[in-house]
Amino acid sequence: MSREETEKLPQVLARIGASHGITDLACKLRVYDDWAPEYDQDVAALKYRAPGLAVDCLSRAFRGPPHGALILDVACGTGLVGVELQARGFLQVQGVDGSPEMLKQAQARGLYHRLSLCTLGQEPLPNPEGTFDAVIMVGALSEGQVPCSAIPELLRVTKPGGLVCLTTRSNPSNLPYKKALEATLDSLEQAGEWERLVAQPVERWELATSEQETGLGASDGFISGIIYLYRKQERAQ
């Protein structure tokens, strides 16, 4: 890390810690709009690893060549997941996000075939049932962002036999949400909607924004996270 990045890190941690504490969705979207121009450099300073780790997990389980697969990046933000998808050969990628300014940053990358403004949890995804070979959502499953009740909407737009990859943080302040999320994921599996392929804990997820947040994380000031991967059940027609 450069001297400039080191000097800026306390500001970055304060900004991200504050964003984690916002539970009102409209307020959080305004924060993301304001944050969009500096988002990439801030999460780089945080040593945020989730996009690459999640796409690696998806890629390992994917059946067939990636270049023709249709992928939906939900809560795509500035397109960090899109960068990782392209690097692994996934070239047919669409994205949705609730922040217009984040979508502008994603559009500038030139990686997405289509980008749509959509606040998941308040409105359905703008896609027909069974559209995508895989759906991925990284970094948006926490209080004040995408509610657990929106998970079936991800399944709806996934093709039978397709993959759904999700992540969430395991730091203390996010544990109530993580517990509710896992109850939702388990209930869908028990209902025969999908099968779990992976539940991968990751120790060095990102730098903690406070000393209190390292309780369940790794050493060196990091918090932990987890990647979930599911395959939608293929039903007889």
Side-chain angles (χ1 to χ4, degrees):
M1 186 180 295
S2 69
R3 179 178 177 180
E4 182 180 352
E5 289 173 327
T6 301
E7 291 174 349
K8 189 182 178 184
L9 184 58
Q11 296 174 293
V12 173
L13 294 178
R15 171 185 261 175
I16 294 173
S19 76
H20 287 172
I22 297 170
T23 57
D24 178 79
L25 178 57
C27 290
K28 183 157 279 190
L29 288 174
R30 287 195 294 271
V31 167
Y32 278 112
D33 277 337
D34 293 340
W35 191 4
E38 297 181 296
Y39 181 83
D40 288 3
Q41 64 191 48
D42 283 0
V43 297
L46 196 69
K47 301 187 184 298
Y48 181 55
R49 304 171 61 213
L53 294 172
V55 175
D56 277 342
C57 182
L58 174 67
S59 182
R60 286 193 296 269
F62 197 81
R63 297 169 176 169
H67 58 271
L70 191 58
I71 311 296
L72 180 64
D73 181 6
V74 179
C76 63
T78 63
L80 294 176
V81 169
V83 171
E84 301 291 343
L85 286 165
Q86 186 184 64
R88 291 157 185 80
F90 294 98
L91 306 180
Q92 308 296 320
V93 182
Q94 298 183 23
V96 299
D97 199 272
S99 163
E101 295 303 317
M102 287 282 189
L103 285 174
K104 287 181 183 178
Q105 299 292 322
Q107 181 69 48
R109 294 186 187 273
L111 302 178
Y112 292 89
H113 283 231
R114 178 184 175 190
L115 286 165
S116 304
L117 184 65
C118 174
T119 305
L120 189 59
Q122 294 188 350
E123 56 188 325
L125 290 167
N127 309 100
E129 181 176 348
T131 299
F132 297 98
D133 296 289
V135 173
I136 185 167
M137 181 163 58
V138 176
L141 288 171
S142 64
E143 195 66 39
Q145 291 185 281
V146 176
C148 300
S149 59
I151 299 297
E153 183 65 4
L154 306 180
L155 259 174
R156 181 186 69 80
V157 301
T158 305
K159 293 178 181 179
L163 299 173
V164 180
C165 184
L166 310 169
T167 75
T168 196
R169 292 177 281 113
S170 301
N171 56 309
S173 63
N174 199 49
L175 287 181
Y177 182 94
K178 180 174 179 283
K179 182 178 181 180
L181 172 65
E182 291 185 338
T184 300
L185 302 180
D186 290 346
S187 69
L188 289 169
E189 186 168 27
Q190 291 164 9
E193 298 294 329
W194 61 11
E195 61 171 330
R196 179 182 287 185
L197 303 181
V198 175
Q200 176 188 342
V202 179
E203 288 190 343
R204 296 171 64 87
W205 189 256
E206 65 185 15
L207 286 172
T209 58
S210 69
E211 291 184 2
Q212 292 77 16
E213 290 294 347
T214 60
L216 294 181
S219 59
D220 303 324
F222 281 81
I223 64 168
S224 57
I226 188 166
I227 301 166
Y228 306 98
L229 185 68
Y230 288 84
R231 190 179 301 280
K232 184 174 178 178
Q233 293 287 14
E234 299 189 59
R235 301 186 187 279
Q237 299 297 314

